Amino acid sequence: MPPDPGCLNGRIMKCLTFFLLLPETLKKSRKSARTSGKLPPCYEIVPLALRKKMAAELYPVSANTNITNSNNTAAANAKKNALQLQQSTPPAPELHNLNNNHIESRNWQSSHPTLRERNALMFNNELMADIHFIVGPAGASKKVPAHKYILAVGSSVFYAMFYGDLAEVKSEIHIPDVEPAAFLILLRYLYSDEIDLEADTVLATLYAAKKYIVPALAKACVNFLETSLEAKNACVLLSQSRLFEEPDLTLRCWEVIDAQAELALKSEGFCEIDLPTLEIIVTRETLNTKEDVVFEAVLNWAEAECKRQGLPVTPMNKRNVLGKALYLVRIPTMTLEEFADGAAQSDILTLEETRSIFLWYTAANKPKLEFPLIKRKGLASQRCHRFQSSAYRSNQWRYRGRCDSIQFAVDKRIFIAGLGLYGSSCGKAEYSVKIELKRQGTVLAQNITKFVSDGSSNTFSVWFEHPVQVEQDTFYTVSAILDGNELSYFGQEGMTEVQCGKVTFQFQCSSDSTNGTGVQGGQIPELIFYA
């Protein structure tokens, strides 16, 4: 039934009268309330819910507002409620920086103005993390917080993992095959583009970068490995480069192994490689070393493999772990003395094999052998000749135990193997010589030996004990001190730049030279190298 208009108008007039008389009523009620202790009439007329709504509208709560109320008890309750409200508000979550230290969390977005800085702040941070990884093998794992969006933007594997058709719904993901340190390096790159590589973790990081298809990080790992590549780790890196299918790194490893084969095969790293890599190295045609060195390296690997497999280190077990790799060693290319002093006494060969090899050396009717019979080709050395002519007699050059020295630089990485030197201009003579290779005053290689000059203007080779890796665009110093027949040939019309194959040499005078050798003339006519 619709309400009576007259009744409704009457109610409205009563309400208007009430609100018009309210201030006056409050004045009177305050006085009576102080004496009687009762609530004023307006509090009895206005319902409690309406009173609360009116107070909220007329007196909005703020830090700088003091609510004056006719009822002291109500004002105190309002302050108490406000204080409880402030205390019940949860504090802003703490952030952690890259070192997991606490930092100020209020308004952290404005204090880090760039997107890169803000993303970097989220690295390894629980704030807003929506996924966790349990990284590493059982017993050595680490829990790492992360953010799906950032990971998916940086890696197609993570994108498929979180947003693909078969997206992962678990809150924790176990990754037992990645080292925690390597995984954190991967995440740091995805969050901030920062790459912080170390020798101990670079291989594990390369594995992680390959697994999650992050090519820029993988390339940085390969570049790091190339710059740290040397004979003692070349075989291990060769094994890893084959595993990761990195052809550029594989090629660099072969350059070092070929040129510095003896150092590489005698390194501890050689004993850590897998059997397929061992077989590939042993079959290498260009290894620049003697065959007895190869044989000894194979025995060392077999001993290490027996220990890895928990087998007693016996000749029979060595043969078993080597398998066909033993028959890749070119034992018949050793000299008879090398075989007799080494392989024949190793006990790894059967008596029949030992007898047959001895007969192969000595008998006219040679037995058939299972070992390769052709000697390795090794590496062909190259020579950079820096003089256009040589001379003697006029302005005779004399060796007086003084230092002849020259500086050089190359535009490609090479291996210096030795020097070509002039000999006597007065017939056959023997010389004692000390040669050195230095970089910024540090001796990298030296050798003290003798050579015989036949009295011609030919150069005579003097070798370092092992070839030395020389980096591009860096000046090195080579020197020679000779003692023997004073009068010798010498070079003329020296060149400051020489193109030798694919390598360009630059020469400049050395302050170490005390016997007159310089760019234009003097001694040290040749550098012998592998490239």
Side-chain angles (χ1 to χ4, degrees):
M1 181 177 179
D4 183 6
C7 180
L8 181 60
N9 291 337
R11 290 179 182 178
I12 293 174
M13 290 302 296
K14 286 182 180 181
C15 288
L16 289 174
T17 303
F18 169 76
F19 281 110
L20 289 173
L21 295 176
L22 181 59
E24 194 67 29
T25 305
L26 287 173
K27 290 180 182 179
K28 293 179 181 180
S29 63
R30 287 193 193 104
K31 184 176 179 180
S32 61
R34 280 195 293 268
T35 57
S36 65
K38 296 180 180 179
L39 290 173
C42 65
Y43 277 84
E44 295 176 358
I45 296 173
V46 182
L48 178 62
L50 181 59
R51 292 204 307 266
K52 289 182 178 181
K53 182 177 181 181
M54 291 168 58
E57 293 175 351
L58 295 176
Y59 306 106
V61 178
S62 67
N64 299 322
T65 303
N66 294 322
I67 301 177
T68 304
N69 200 309
S70 60
N71 192 327
N72 293 333
T73 303
N77 289 337
K79 292 181 180 179
K80 181 178 180 181
N81 291 336
L83 181 60
Q84 290 176 347
L85 180 63
Q86 292 178 356
Q87 292 176 345
S88 64
T89 303
E94 289 183 325
L95 298 179
H96 301 274
N97 64 10
L98 300 185
N99 295 319
N100 287 326
N101 297 322
H102 298 292
I103 63 174
E104 179 58 44
S105 61
R106 296 184 184 278
N107 201 24
W108 57 269
Q109 292 90 342
S110 61
S111 61
H112 297 82
T114 67
L115 177 63
R116 180 178 177 275
E117 290 176 340
R118 294 192 293 274
N119 277 347
L121 198 66
M122 295 298 102
F123 164 68
N124 200 18
N125 198 324
E126 289 287 352
L127 180 65
M128 296 186 288
D130 53 1
I131 192 68
H132 288 78
F133 295 93
I134 309 300
V135 187
S141 61
K142 179 181 178 66
K143 188 174 183 180
V144 180
H147 307 78
K148 294 180 180 179
Y149 170 76
I150 294 179
L151 270 57
V153 168
S155 163
S156 60
V157 175
F158 283 127
Y159 176 82
M161 184 184 296
F162 301 133
Y163 301 103
D165 295 337
L166 300 175
E168 183 65 63
V169 295
K170 297 179 181 178
S171 60
E172 290 186 352
I173 297 176
H174 290 257
I175 309 178
D177 60 329
V178 176
E179 292 183 11
F183 191 75
L184 288 175
I185 293 173
L186 171 69
L187 292 195
R188 186 191 297 273
Y189 171 74
L190 295 179
Y191 277 80
S192 65
D193 283 340
E194 293 181 8
I195 300 177
D196 185 15
L197 299 175
E198 297 180 359
D200 294 340
T201 57
V202 63
L203 284 173
T205 304
L206 177 58
Y207 173 77
K210 288 282 188 177
K211 177 175 181 176
Y212 294 103
I213 311 180
V214 185
L217 179 59
K219 184 178 181 180
C221 292
V222 172
N223 291 340
F224 182 93
L225 291 171
E226 286 186 359
T227 57
S228 61
L229 178 61
E230 52 187 343
K232 66 181 181 181
N233 62 13
C235 295
V236 172
L237 294 184
L238 174 67
S239 176
Q240 297 298 322
S241 67
R242 295 177 62 249
L243 174 66
F244 296 136
E245 298 181 348
E246 287 290 341
D248 292 340
L249 180 58
T250 300
L251 180 61
R252 281 286 298 117
C253 290
W254 279 126
E255 290 177 359
V256 175
I257 294 171
D258 282 343
Q260 299 179 304
E262 185 171 349
L263 293 176
L265 297 179
K266 288 183 176 181
S267 68
E268 294 182 3
F270 179 81
C271 296
E272 300 172 5
I273 62 177
D274 56 283
L275 180 59
T277 302
L278 172 74
E279 293 175 349
I280 291 175
I281 292 176
V282 176
T283 57
R284 185 77 170 173
E285 188 69 28
T286 49
L287 288 182
N288 192 38
T289 189
K290 294 180 178 181
E291 202 63 29
D292 61 329
V293 174
V294 177
F295 181 81
E296 188 66 29
V298 168
L299 290 189
N300 291 337
W301 183 91
E303 180 177 342
E305 183 64 17
C306 286
K307 293 177 180 178
R308 281 191 290 268
Q309 296 186 18
L311 301 173
V313 182
T314 63
M316 181 57 67
N317 285 336
K318 287 182 181 181
R319 285 181 66 98
N320 291 336
V321 298
L322 282 171
K324 67 177 183 179
L326 176 62
Y327 296 97
L328 299 176
V329 183
R330 306 184 185 192
I331 293 178
T333 65
M334 300 178 188
T335 65
L336 177 59
E337 292 75 19
E338 289 170 346
F339 174 73
D341 293 338
Q345 300 183 43
S346 66
D347 294 330
I348 197 170
L349 301 176
T350 65
L351 291 177
E352 180 61 28
E353 289 169 343
T354 303
R355 173 180 174 276
S356 297
I357 295 174
F358 269 122
L359 289 175
W360 191 89
Y361 280 116
T362 56
N365 186 16
K366 299 183 182 299
K368 184 178 180 180
L369 300 178
E370 295 185 61
F371 299 92
L373 306 178
I374 301 175
K375 188 178 180 67
R376 300 177 196 272
K377 293 180 180 179
L379 279 182
S381 62
Q382 302 181 51
R383 294 174 181 258
C384 175
H385 200 93
R386 67 188 190 92
F387 296 128
Q388 298 183 61
S389 64
S390 62
Y392 73 107
R393 291 184 180 167
S394 60
N395 299 321
Q396 289 277 10
W397 197 278
R398 295 178 181 273
Y399 285 136
R400 300 172 179 173
R402 296 178 181 175
C403 181
D404 290 293
S405 182
I406 194 72
Q407 287 189 320
F408 74 96
V410 290
D411 64 344
K412 290 182 176 61
R413 185 185 292 111
I414 65 170
F415 297 86
I416 292 293
L419 306 179
L421 303 176
Y422 288 127
S424 169
S425 59
C426 300
K428 184 176 180 180
E430 184 180 68
Y431 288 93
S432 297
V433 59
K434 176 183 178 181
I435 59 173
E436 278 188 343
L437 173 66
K438 295 190 294 185
R439 178 182 179 180
Q440 297 177 346
T442 301
V443 176
L444 303 178
Q446 67 176 11
N447 192 19
I448 300 175
T449 185
K450 295 181 178 181
F451 74 92
V452 176
S453 164
D454 61 6
S456 70
S457 60
N458 297 329
T459 58
F460 303 92
S461 301
V462 181
W463 304 87
F464 291 111
E465 186 176 357
H466 301 288
V468 181
Q469 183 170 295
V470 168
E471 301 297 332
Q472 65 186 47
D473 301 327
T474 301
F475 273 95
Y476 292 78
T477 303
V478 287
S479 61
I481 300 175
L482 284 90
D483 188 16
N485 194 321
E486 285 192 7
L487 298 180
S488 72
Y489 288 87
F490 62 95
Q492 296 183 130
E493 301 177 278
M495 296 172 284
T496 57
E497 184 173 298
V498 179
Q499 184 73 30
C500 190
K502 297 181 179 180
V503 184
T504 301
F505 287 78
Q506 289 184 338
F507 294 96
Q508 68 181 26
C509 295
S510 169
S511 59
D512 292 347
S513 188
T514 59
N515 198 38
T517 291
V519 173
Q520 297 301 319
Q523 300 298 330
I524 313 182
E526 288 180 339
L527 300 181
I528 308 172
F529 67 98
Y530 300 112

